[in-house]
Amino acid sequence: MRTTNLAVVLRFVRTHAPCSRADIAASTGLNKATVSSLVTDLLERRLLRETGLTENRIGRPASMLTLQSRPYAAIGIELAADHLVAIAVDLTGERLLTWRRAHAGLDGAPGRAEAAVAALAGRVVAKMAAEQRRVLGLTVAAPGLVAPGGGVRFPPHLARPALDLGAALERGLRHPEYDVVIESSANLAALAEYRGGAEADTPHLIALVGGVEIGAGIVADGRALRGGRGFAGQAGHLQVDCAGPRCRCGRQGCLEAVAGLPALVRRALPDTAPDGPIVDYAPELERITALAGNGDAHVTGALAETGRLLGRGVSMLAELLDPQVVVLGGSFATLAPWLLPAVQAELAARAPGETACRVTASTLHPDGAALGGAMLALDRLESGQLPASAG
């Protein structure tokens, strides 16, 4: 019960800081003596700090509380088909670092992805140790189907049937005392939107994340919707064009096959085809953005067609799951100024008024999944997994 109450107080301070002990007692229903004891505990763990007295209230001045920005850190790493992103945040959610690395995962060399993630994780942990910060948790956002134990089945575009990220990280980090979690990229992007995006606290939300692969993270009634085996959200394989190109899954016209980054590059930049396989899509994405910004008719037409097909997928999600908002993340957020009008027009044409939902662009792009990974450790903290001391 005490652990639960500590988590209640911690969550309240995060959402209402600066606040007083009396504010906590009045809003949570805990008595003042209990709140005082809990706050003392959290101060000793250096999860909260006192900011001084305020006199802008009736009665005696009160000592105000807020989250402690030190001595902790939470880490999130995203493994994508062509890049890695690492983010570390403090307890307040403030970023301590953001690193992006090109990653030749598309060649599918055995062990390459696991080694790259473990090496990057080790460097981030070492950086936090140099700053005298204790790591609360490390989460890797992975493509594909994430199985219990940290295995990843059918990682898209990595040309391998499975990755053993969990074991690689445990070895690379020398069996750390903090939790190491492997989670779906889309689920973590949805967590980031729910906790800290422009649509934060919207109870029915979908994060639709674009890139080489496409995935959906689903929040239903304020909780992640994971499905029976944790595999919910494979929106990239909704069939939106029966006559479309063959998808890597073997079917034709999947959303990923017609609206993922490879399809968009083929549509918008046909001159890249003779250059051979693309292993890092960042330069192509920058070029598309620049050409669209300059009003290039071919590129803006390609983006409008991509947006129309994306709108079909959004309309299916809207009818099936009835979200209040669909947030476009990843490459979709970067290209939102040109995609959104077509997405919204297609949604309006296909979804009846009762099932229509808002569609917006993420303000966290392009690294929402990595940020969600860092936030997962904070989420677990607020669920009662508290450190014993700052160390």
Side-chain angles (χ1 to χ4, degrees):
M1 180 63 72
R2 183 172 179 82
T3 298
T4 299
N5 288 339
L6 285 167
V8 167
V9 172
L10 197 59
R11 284 196 301 273
F12 183 87
V13 174
R14 175 175 67 86
T15 54
H16 296 89
C19 58
S20 69
R21 291 166 175 80
D23 295 331
I24 297 169
S27 298
T28 63
L30 297 170
N31 67 55
K32 291 181 179 180
T34 299
V35 168
S36 181
S37 173
L38 294 170
V39 166
T40 298
D41 193 338
L42 293 170
L43 288 169
E44 290 174 352
R45 297 172 194 255
R46 298 178 66 188
L47 295 169
L48 299 184
R49 66 184 178 90
E50 293 181 298
T51 62
L53 301 177
T54 180
E55 297 183 359
N56 297 324
R57 56 196 300 121
I58 298 172
R60 295 191 307 173
S63 179
M64 305 302 284
L65 301 163
T66 188
L67 292 178
Q68 173 68 275
S69 59
R70 280 187 173 272
Y72 299 104
I75 300 170
I77 295 176
E78 179 188 10
L79 167 64
D82 61 340
H83 68 271
L84 296 168
V85 175
I87 290 176
V89 301
D90 65 17
L91 281 185
T92 70
E94 200 66 29
R95 294 200 191 196
L96 303 171
L97 65 79
T98 302
W99 291 345
R100 187 187 190 280
R101 302 283 187 270
H103 165 58
L106 290 162
D107 69 5
R112 183 187 293 271
E114 293 94 328
V117 172
L120 182 58
R123 289 196 292 273
V124 178
V125 169
K127 173 72 171 172
M128 294 300 99
E131 296 181 2
Q132 297 184 321
R133 291 182 181 272
R134 178 176 172 182
V135 175
L136 290 169
L138 185 149
T139 306
V140 175
L145 306 178
V146 178
V152 182
R153 296 171 51 196
F154 311 116
H157 304 286
L158 294 182
R160 294 176 55 201
L163 302 175
D164 195 357
L165 285 175
L169 283 162
E170 286 290 331
R171 289 193 304 269
L173 296 172
R174 295 182 175 85
H175 306 286
E177 61 179 15
Y178 49 83
D179 288 333
V180 176
V181 179
I182 317 299
E183 178 59 281
S184 153
S185 295
N187 285 348
L188 292 173
L191 173 62
E193 297 294 343
Y194 184 70
R195 275 189 65 115
E199 301 291 338
D201 298 320
T202 301
H204 300 278
L205 174 152
I206 296 175
L208 186 60
V209 184
V212 175
E213 61 274 353
I214 294 175
I218 305 162
V219 175
D221 205 17
R223 298 183 178 183
L225 193 159
R226 304 178 55 83
R229 295 171 297 166
F231 298 161
Q234 301 300 304
H237 301 290
L238 293 172
Q239 190 178 48
V240 298
D241 182 3
C242 294
R246 185 170 295 277
C247 180
R248 62 184 172 85
C249 71
R251 290 173 290 185
Q252 284 187 264
C254 291
L255 182 61
E256 188 174 291
V258 299
L261 262 181
L264 174 59
V265 169
R266 288 192 299 270
R267 189 177 293 126
L269 304 175
D271 60 319
T272 61
D275 297 336
I278 297 171
V279 295
D280 181 6
Y281 279 86
E284 278 68 26
L285 186 58
E286 290 175 5
R287 185 179 166 201
I288 289 171
T289 304
L291 289 170
N294 290 326
D296 183 283
H298 176 78
V299 171
T300 54
L303 286 166
E305 174 64 7
T306 301
R308 184 181 67 82
L309 293 163
L310 182 57
R312 291 186 184 181
V314 171
S315 71
M316 293 178 184
L317 292 171
E319 292 190 36
L320 285 170
L321 298 169
D322 190 25
Q324 293 165 277
V325 63
V326 174
V327 182
L328 302 182
S331 62
F332 293 154
T334 303
L335 299 169
W338 303 280
L339 293 176
L340 268 177
V343 171
Q344 291 165 338
E346 189 71 13
L347 181 61
R350 288 177 170 272
E354 303 82 38
T355 59
C357 65
R358 292 182 294 111
V359 185
T360 65
S362 173
T363 57
L364 304 176
H365 70 88
D367 44 27
L371 181 59
M375 287 183 171
L376 182 64
L378 303 184
D379 211 46
R380 291 159 72 91
L381 184 73
E382 293 178 8
S383 297
Q385 298 184 24
L386 304 177
S389 66

